Amino acid sequence: MDTLLKILVELRPDVDFEDNKELVDSGELDSFDIVSLVGELCEAYEIEIGAEDIVPENFNSVEAIMAMVVRLQED
Amino acid sequence: MAFTSVQFVVFLFLAATSYFLTPKRYRWVTLFLVNYIFYFMAGAGYFIYLLATTITIYLAGVKLGNMSAKNKADFAAAKGELDKEQKKAWKGNFTKKKRMVLIPALLFNFGILAVLKYYNFVGANLNALLERFSIGAEVPVYSFLLPLGISFYTFQSVGYLIDVYREKYEPERNLAKFALFISFFPQIVQGPIGRYHILAEQLYRPNTFSYERVKFGIQLMFWGAFKKLVIADRAGVIVDTIFGYPDTFGGTYVAVAAFVYCIQLYGDFSGGIDIATGAAQVLGIQLEKNFERPYLATSIPDFWRRWHITLGAWFRDYVFYPLSLSKFFMKVGKKGRKVFGNYIGKLLPVLIPQFIVFFLIGIWHGAEWKYIAFGFYNGTLIVLGILFDQPLKKLMEKFHIKTECYSWRLFQVLRTLILVALGKIITRAPGVSASAFMVHSMLSNWDGDILINGGLLKLGLDVQDLWVLLFSSLVLLTVSLMQESGIHVRETLSKQNLLFRWIIYLAAIFSLILFGVYGLNYNASDFIYRGF
């Protein structure tokens, strides 16, 4: 979780990642952020994230992103 | 059957009456029949294209669904004996198999769209090339009529198929129900482009009559008709005059035309969408939002998040993400970091697909060079915006420019509006060179006096019409500002006293009757986006 938070804060230092549970739905993260974030996640966790995984539910909160990462690591 | 015609109102009335009178279990069947009658009335010859798309996408969807179900069962049985690499290989093989179904279906359906929409454009350009190099051959040019709503229903059904391919949901196994999903009459003409997981369930369930919802639906249709008939069609007179005679109306007139065209296009397109959304609401169906006050956007990316939202979302989900997350662009990003440094390298997988998306959005609007230029114009603005985002932020900090205040927001909105208006000149002028001529004329022959010395009266509208246009545009702006601050206009109105409510309703009805029609022989012009 710490690694993920570090990636997120580096990407968007202005966003409150710990409290915001609607990162995508509230428009806080846009498509450019998502693509940059996916690149970082793939590298850091050695996973493959496809376009099918890019749904708001997977990116709305730190917990949701972590859950997706864990799921893809298990796959 | 135009949305603003009496026929459409009568059609909707009959459709709603028969829908609500049908036993609940069969309401979706009535809706399906109503859609097909609507489409048939638009032109029987178009039917074959709609059927071709319906059947091919339906069959491909069912096939993909069956393959996924079998794969899931097989994988669950074999999972225990596979290591990580083998699981990965299994997944890769299955993806390849699914693509063998997806790609032919996409090629077939985009092929129909491409031939009908772009064949003549490509043919004419090829002929120009052949002539230039004195090659005595010619590509035959045919005059195709575009089937009603072909771009919209093709995109909607392709979006469904890609979602099934991605296993986002199960395919629809009832052909008639699937046909209903891609032919819903209020939205087939000019959108909004629906998503299966949001729209289909609403179409299939038995919606019940609700006075409140029907009232809101009719109010929205009135509002849409007001935007189209009172604002857009009136603004269109000025726009047609100036763009029709760019030699006569240069200089400041070009700026007037660009801004008035912004008003016309918004009134026309969002008015049409309001009528579609209102009509759907009468039947108990909530369509997706297609506009969110685009001219209050603070940047070009913000504008595109607010304008034709469902098309932007379609391109984001089915073109931008697959491209930018593809192995190819991930590699481009990695290489880019080595060559151009971390900042630019990271941006490359975003910038290049973004440019491709705007190129596609450009040609989606039409088979003309000016639409390609429009795509490049927007793509360039967005790319420049991203590239200069950080340097500009640092510059503003250095000069202590406050960005958390009203004046900064106003500056951002006006700056965005000017850039959008310039883009509109590209699409509305007869061609790319004509738009360049007009912009040059605007910059070199500026004469602000025409705004006050009666120059505006030469544009086809008399004083009264100009006042009506100004006043109705101000009403639109006021409503937009109210909505932007979170006020739900219809809900707020419904809470007012009876007398006040009816004064507003009657004012709306009379303004539509009095100002919506020019004389006896005037016909409301076609919706602009209907042609796309």
Side-chain angles (χ1 to χ4, degrees), chain B residues 190-223:
Chain B
Q190 54 179 358
I193 299 165
R195 295 294 178 96
Y196 180 79
H197 65 290
I198 299 172
L199 181 62
E201 158 59 17
Q202 299 188 65
L203 297 168
Y204 305 157
R205 74 185 177 200
N207 295 306
T208 47
F209 180 84
S210 148
Y211 169 73
E212 198 71 0
R213 210 184 45 227
V214 170
K215 186 182 76 180
F216 278 174
I218 293 172
Q219 285 175 2
L220 191 57
M221 290 176 73
F222 258 102
W223 178 237

Side-chain angles (χ1 to χ4, degrees), chain B residues 206-480:
Chain B
N207 295 306
T208 47
F209 180 84
S210 148
Y211 169 73
E212 198 71 0
R213 210 184 45 227
V214 170
K215 186 182 76 180
F216 278 174
I218 293 172
Q219 285 175 2
L220 191 57
M221 290 176 73
F222 258 102
W223 178 237
F226 173 82
K227 286 201 253 182
K228 163 71 177 156
L229 295 175
V230 180
I231 300 177
D233 284 358
R234 192 169 263 107
V237 176
I238 294 180
V239 173
D240 289 349
T241 308
I242 299 175
F243 280 102
Y245 303 95
D247 291 330
T248 315
F249 298 106
T252 315
Y253 281 114
V254 177
V256 171
F259 281 104
V260 176
Y261 185 52
C262 285
I263 296 171
Q264 182 198 2
L265 202 55
Y266 179 61
D268 188 286
F269 191 17
S270 76
I273 291 293
D274 284 349
I275 296 173
T277 308
Q281 215 166 17
V282 167
L283 295 161
I285 292 148
Q286 188 59 50
L287 296 181
E288 282 163 74
K289 195 163 55 177
N290 217 25
F291 289 96
E292 202 167 73
R293 303 165 293 284
Y295 297 140
L296 298 178
T298 52
S299 63
I300 292 292
D302 189 27
F303 172 79
W304 282 103
R305 277 191 290 269
R306 291 162 173 260
W307 177 274
H308 208 171
I309 295 168
T310 55
L311 182 75
W314 195 97
F315 274 104
R316 181 195 64 210
D317 292 347
Y318 303 118
V319 181
F320 175 75
Y321 281 139
L323 275 182
S324 55
L325 300 179
S326 64
K327 281 180 187 155
F328 175 77
F329 277 107
M330 285 291 166
K331 271 185 200 162
V332 168
K334 270 187 190 169
K335 256 202 171 151
R337 275 188 235 185
K338 282 181 196 158
V339 181
F340 303 107
N342 223 12
Y343 182 59
I344 305 275
K346 269 185 186 176
L347 287 175
L348 282 179
V350 174
L351 298 184
I352 304 170
Q354 189 62 42
F355 222 92
I356 295 171
V357 163
F358 273 101
F359 168 74
L360 293 173
I361 287 182
I363 57 168
W364 178 88
H365 283 83
E368 287 183 59
W369 284 107
K370 64 180 184 179
Y371 291 116
I372 295 173
F374 173 70
F376 273 104
Y377 172 76
N378 279 287
T380 307
L381 285 180
I382 290 201
V383 168
L384 290 177
I386 298 169
L387 286 177
F388 287 102
D389 182 48
Q390 292 304 323
L392 277 176
K393 270 184 186 156
K394 280 181 190 159
L395 204 68
M396 286 189 302
E397 271 171 28
K398 200 177 171 188
F399 286 100
H400 304 292
I401 296 171
K402 287 180 192 167
T403 54
E404 298 297 321
C405 54
Y406 178 74
S407 56
W408 180 253
R409 168 95 203 254
L410 186 66
F411 161 73
Q412 286 180 305
V413 169
L414 291 176
R415 176 196 59 186
T416 309
L417 189 57
I418 289 169
L419 292 173
V420 169
L422 276 172
K424 298 274 189 259
I425 296 178
I426 302 174
T427 55
R428 183 59 183 80
V432 180
S433 52
S435 58
F437 169 79
M438 289 180 81
V439 172
H440 179 258
S441 157
M442 177 176 74
L443 297 174
S444 54
N445 299 316
W446 189 265
D447 173 19
D449 285 351
I450 63 130
L451 301 172
I452 44 171
N453 69 5
L456 295 179
L457 291 170
K458 294 176 188 166
L459 304 174
L461 292 182
D462 59 21
V463 178
Q464 189 208 347
D465 276 326
L466 280 174
W467 278 112
V468 172
L469 178 58
L470 180 68
F471 182 73
S472 52
S473 301
L474 285 176
V475 170
L476 178 58
L477 177 65
T478 310
V479 169
S480 300

Side-chain angles (χ1 to χ4, degrees), chain B residues 136-151:
Chain B
E138 201 173 301
V139 179
V141 174
Y142 303 104
S143 65
F144 293 116
L145 272 180
L146 269 187
L148 182 71
I150 185 168
S151 300

Side-chain angles (χ1 to χ4, degrees), chain B residues 32 35-40 43-57 108-109 112 116 147-150 152-154 157 178-184 188:
Chain B
F32 162 68
N35 291 341
Y36 268 53
I37 293 169
F38 182 86
Y39 205 80
F40 196 78
Y46 300 150
F47 229 79
I48 184 80
Y49 299 108
L50 179 66
L51 285 179
T53 295
T54 306
I55 293 168
T56 52
I57 299 282
F108 176 76
N109 284 285
I112 296 176
L116 294 180
L148 182 71
I150 185 168
F152 294 98
Y153 73 69
T154 303
S157 50
F178 180 69
L180 163 61
F181 162 64
I182 64 164
S183 63
F184 185 41
I188 199 171

